[in-house]
């Protein structure tokens, strides 16, 4: 099994093939519906994002609160298609990798091909297992959104499947 | 008035609801765990087996570490069957919502409810829940708590078929709904189907169908056979665990039926995720 580290380089992205199981280490930002809406509004207004998205990875999750003694609660993936409407401006702003679950629309697949991007799938419903792979979690933006705030996560050996590779091949086809 | 009326305090109901919310979210039902385990043994694709093993591992971690199985701890749906020889002291609806509030706080579970559907401001305590009341004989209160995540809820559908669409039309609609859902509802799914009644009745029947134990069938052989046929057709789609392909797209197709109008054939399909959470208690 391949181990990869985020932020990912183009070189490491090009080695990955749809359907392959990988273990992810490194830095990942969370963001789901409400955070995406705000990020795109900021970009539209020409305002910098509250974190530098360049070369980064976004994980579509809204975690449970951290119980005492833990860094985070359950944190599995949410359905990616709701983020399709917001993904293009973020990819154009430098976002490289998206983590979620379920298929993406054609525009997102085209952007992945054009910008050498990558779409990884976490195992839908495996929130407790994912939480075990998160070793640090800090809110970096939109604190008022509660579970939809943007967290900066440090992950260790998070099991993911290459769902859409940089050539646009999909595990869902 | 009869002196045999039993009295129950609303606080007791709230405490029971809180406990059931936590258990439903952290302790997967044994029938579902067993079905996932049997499915893993049958899969020939390595990736499908790996996904099912991860779901089983996830369920174990959740139960041991007291973490929710899934971060989408859901909108809580509560079915309450009230014995007619029972008197509830206080407001039962408020008590149920207080139980949800207590359970979600104590269990460190995600608050996923927004107040106005367009303003979308989080209510901060996962209330309100959705409550269905029914009356039964006796002096007991049966409570079923079924937190529903929206990965699967969003992929559910209802259609008012014409009687002339018949069984074939129903089959096409059910299969189309599962196919369109793809990987989004966290397969392997449970397919709850409600047939008959009015539009709203069909929807409630489909949700209640998700509460049924895996491996059990509709009491009438005709519908039981249709359930078996649909399960084979759904699994032949090849969506598989997490949508990565495989033999296990569904653990069960459960149909609930009810008489309907001469002009109608309402069909609702409520899709449940791999964990389809529910716990019950009688007090």
């Amino acid at each position: 099994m391949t181990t990869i580290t985020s932020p990912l380089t183009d070189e490491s992205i090009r080695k990955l093939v749809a359907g392959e199981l990988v273990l992810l280490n490194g830095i990942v930002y969370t963001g789901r519906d409400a955070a995406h809406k705000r990020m795109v509004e900021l970009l539209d207004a020409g305002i910098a994002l509250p974190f530098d998205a360049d070369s980064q990875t976004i994980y579509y999750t809204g975690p449970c609160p951290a119980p005492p003694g833990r860094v985070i609660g359950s944190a599995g993936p949410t359905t990616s298609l709701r983020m399709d409407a917001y993904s293009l401006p973020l990819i154009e702003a430098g976002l490289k990798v998206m983590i979620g679950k379920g298929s993406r629309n054609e525009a997102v697949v085209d952007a992945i091909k054009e910008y050498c991007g990558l779409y990884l799938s976490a195992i839908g419903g495996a929130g407790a297992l994912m939480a075990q792979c998160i070793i640090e979690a800090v809110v970096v933006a939109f604190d008022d959104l509660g579970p939809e705030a943007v967290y900066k996560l440090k992950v260790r050996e998070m099991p993911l499947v290459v769902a859409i590779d940089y050539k646009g091949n999909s595990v869902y086809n | 008035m009869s002196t045999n009326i039993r009295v129950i305090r609303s606080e007791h109901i709230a405490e029971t609801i809180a406990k059931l919310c936590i258990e439903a979210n952290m302790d997967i039902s044994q029938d579902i765990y067993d079905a996932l385990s049997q499915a893993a043994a049958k899969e020939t694709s390595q990736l499908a087996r790996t996904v099912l093993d991860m779901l089983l591992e996830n369920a174990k971690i959740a139960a041991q570490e007291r973490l929710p199985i899934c971060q989408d701890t859901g909108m809580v749906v509560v079915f309450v069957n009230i014995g007619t020889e029972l008197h509830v002291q206080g407001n039962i609806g408020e008590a149920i919502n207080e139980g949800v509030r207590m359970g979600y706080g104590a269990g460190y579970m995600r608050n996923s409810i927004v107040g106005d559907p367009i303003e979308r401001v989080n209510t901060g305590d996962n209330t309100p829940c959705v409550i269905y009341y029914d009356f039964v004989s006796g002096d007991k209160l049966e409570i079923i708590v079924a937190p529903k995540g929206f990965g699967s809820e969003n992929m559910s559908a209802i259609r008012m078929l014409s009687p002339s669409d018949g069984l074939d039309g129903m089959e096409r609609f059910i299969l189309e709904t599962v196919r369109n859902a793809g990987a989004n509802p966290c397969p392997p799914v449970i397919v709850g189907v409600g047939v008959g009644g009015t539009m709203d009745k069909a929807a409630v029947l489909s949700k209640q169908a998700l509460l049924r134990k895996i491996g059990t069938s509709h009491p009438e052989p005709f519908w039981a056979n249709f359930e078996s046929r649909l399960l084979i057709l759904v699994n032949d789609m090849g969506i598989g665990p997490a949508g990565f392909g495989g033999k296990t797209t569904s653990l069960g197709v459960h149909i609930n039926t009810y008489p309907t109008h001469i002009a109608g054939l309402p069909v609702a399909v409520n899709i449940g995720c791999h964990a389809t959470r529910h716990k019950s208690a009688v007090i």
Side-chain angles (χ1 to χ4, degrees), chain B residues 140-189:
Chain B
K140 298 281 191 281
L141 187 76
E142 187 193 11
I143 302 171
I144 303 165
V145 169
K148 192 65 164 72
F150 263 52
S152 57
E153 195 70 356
N154 278 338
M155 305 321 291
S156 303
I158 190 160
R159 194 171 290 172
M160 303 304 282
L161 295 179
S162 165
S164 66
D165 291 324
L167 201 64
D168 288 349
M170 194 188 304
E171 180 175 302
R172 276 195 301 276
F173 171 57
I174 296 164
L175 296 179
E176 172 195 313
T177 304
V178 176
R179 191 175 294 114
N180 288 344
N184 297 335
C186 300
V189 297

Side-chain angles (χ1 to χ4, degrees), chain B residues 103-134:
Chain B
Y104 275 67
Y108 292 88
M109 298 193 288
R110 194 180 81 184
N111 297 321
S112 308
I113 306 304
V114 291
D116 183 272
I118 290 296
E119 276 182 349
R120 306 198 76 78
V121 177
N122 199 304
T123 60
D125 59 8
N126 218 48
T127 68
C129 60
V130 175
I131 310 171
Y132 295 103
Y133 298 99
D134 204 354

Side-chain angles (χ1 to χ4, degrees), chain B residues 188-283:
Chain B
V189 297
I190 295 169
V191 185
V193 182
V195 180
T198 49
M199 187 192 78
D200 50 313
K201 179 68 179 176
V204 177
L205 288 172
S206 70
K207 180 137 276 134
Q208 286 170 325
L210 294 178
L211 306 175
R212 203 204 288 166
K213 203 171 172 187
I214 302 289
T216 60
S217 306
H218 191 287
E220 291 172 36
F222 172 83
W223 289 104
N225 287 337
F226 189 48
E227 287 176 341
S228 304
R229 172 183 163 79
L230 287 172
L231 181 60
I232 292 167
L233 291 171
V234 164
N235 283 330
D236 280 350
M237 283 180 192
I239 294 168
F244 301 148
K247 296 175 179 174
T248 323
T249 299
S250 175
L251 301 176
V253 178
H254 298 169
I255 303 176
N256 278 356
T257 53
Y258 195 79
T260 190
H261 189 275
I262 48 173
L265 179 56
V267 182
V269 181
N270 197 197
I271 297 187
C273 69
H274 90 275
T276 304
R277 301 159 294 192
H278 53 89
K279 289 285 177 211
S280 62
V282 177
I283 54 176

Side-chain angles (χ1 to χ4, degrees), chain A residues 62 70 74 76 81 101 125 128-129, chain B residues 58 65 68-69 71 110 184 243:
Chain A
R70 289 191 163 269
S74 286
L81 69 83
K101 70 170 160 100
L129 184 72
Chain B
N58 182 66
E65 304 286 325
I69 296 162
Q71 77 292 338
R110 194 180 81 184
N184 297 335

